[in-house]
Structures are given as structure tokens and as C-alpha cells.
Amino acid sequence: MIPGPDYPTRPVRHPIRDRRQTGVARGMAAALAVVLLTLLVSWSLGHPLSATDRVLRAVAASTVAALWLAAAIGHVAALRFESPADIDGAASGSPDSPRVEVANAVLRNTLEQVVLAIPAYLALAWVVEGSGAMVPMLAALFSVGRTLFWANYARGAAARAFGFALTFYSSVAALVIVLVALMGRLI
């Protein structure tokens, strides 16, 4: 097959089509700006800490993330407990109520975010000497992001995009910084 107009070689990217997509893009861009600004500020505030002190800060930050996971698990459990229709969960064979479905969606996303954040905090603290102020700031961004994501989840993708992206980009930024630092050591 010869590539041409009838047989494109790669998928065609469609432009943003509706307000929801525009809202998501704006929320994600704003969150990226906040994360980058926070990292710049925390880098300038950082003073050298021992590896042990940096790792202790990462453990504290990881505990904050884990507490968000515990809160999301507890929320699903509480909703199931107070609803006779939901109390048996998947074992009943009936679908969850809309409230439990939303809580489960928040729980799944929180689990994904925690799994990304904890190793990011620990790696950043271990590898980057100037990360003493960054790690607590990233944990603060994680908490603000989770709060906004959770509070706005039912309002739609555009409403929760900033909270999602604030949580996600802060962890990804930490991993990118670690990768750059490690590459700098190898080169």
C-alpha cells in the first residue's frame, strides 16, 4: 500500500471540538504553569539538606499522598455502608448507585496518582540534592489537586481538569527532574 491521501501513514489529529475539550485544555495548561512556577520558587528557596533529611521529607510527602488514598477508600466504604442497595458491592450482582460510581472513579484515579507520586517523591529526594523544598511543595500541590479534583468530579471533565493536572504534572515533573539529574551524572 502506498501512503497518500486515501491511506494516511498516521492517524489524523482532530482539532479541539467542543467547550469541554477547551475547558480541559485550559485547566491542564493552567496547572502546568502552577507546577512549573512552584518548582522554580521551591528550587530558589531550597537550602542543602542531608540525604537522610531529604528522604524523611519524601516519606512525609508520601504519607500525605497515602492519606488521600485512605480518604478515598473510606469515602466509598461509607457510601456503601449507608446504602442498602450498595452495601453488598459487586457481590450483589447489581450495578452501583451513581454516588458510589463517582466515588469509585475518584478512588481509582487517586490510586493511580498515589502510585505515581510516591516513587517520584522518593526518587527526587534521593537523587537531587536541592530538592529539600521541592518535595513538600509537590505534596502540597498533590493535596490541592486532589481536593479540586474530588470536589469538582461530578461537574464534568473541564471542572476537574485543573485538579487532575495539578496532581499529575507535579509527579511527572519530579520524575523528569530525576531523569535529567541522572542523565547529567552519566554524561
Side-chain angles (χ1 to χ4, degrees), residues 30-93:
L32 182 59
V34 168
V35 168
L36 293 175
L37 181 63
T38 301
L39 287 171
L40 284 171
V41 168
S42 63
W43 182 261
S44 68
L45 293 176
H47 57 304
L49 296 174
S50 70
T52 302
D53 288 339
R54 292 192 318 268
V55 169
L56 286 174
R57 286 184 179 205
V59 168
S62 298
T63 303
V64 168
L67 285 170
W68 276 101
L69 181 58
I73 293 168
H75 185 238
V76 171
L79 289 175
R80 286 198 182 284
F81 179 76
E82 66 185 36
S83 168
D86 291 314
I87 199 161
D88 285 326
S92 70

Side-chain angles (χ1 to χ4, degrees), residues 73-115:
I73 293 168
H75 185 238
V76 171
L79 289 175
R80 286 198 182 284
F81 179 76
E82 66 185 36
S83 168
D86 291 314
I87 199 161
D88 285 326
S92 70
S94 61
D96 288 329
S97 68
R99 286 180 64 199
V100 172
E101 284 180 1
V102 167
N104 270 324
V106 171
L107 169 58
R108 275 189 305 277
N109 185 264
T110 301
L111 174 62
E112 294 163 357
Q113 298 284 2
V114 168
V115 167

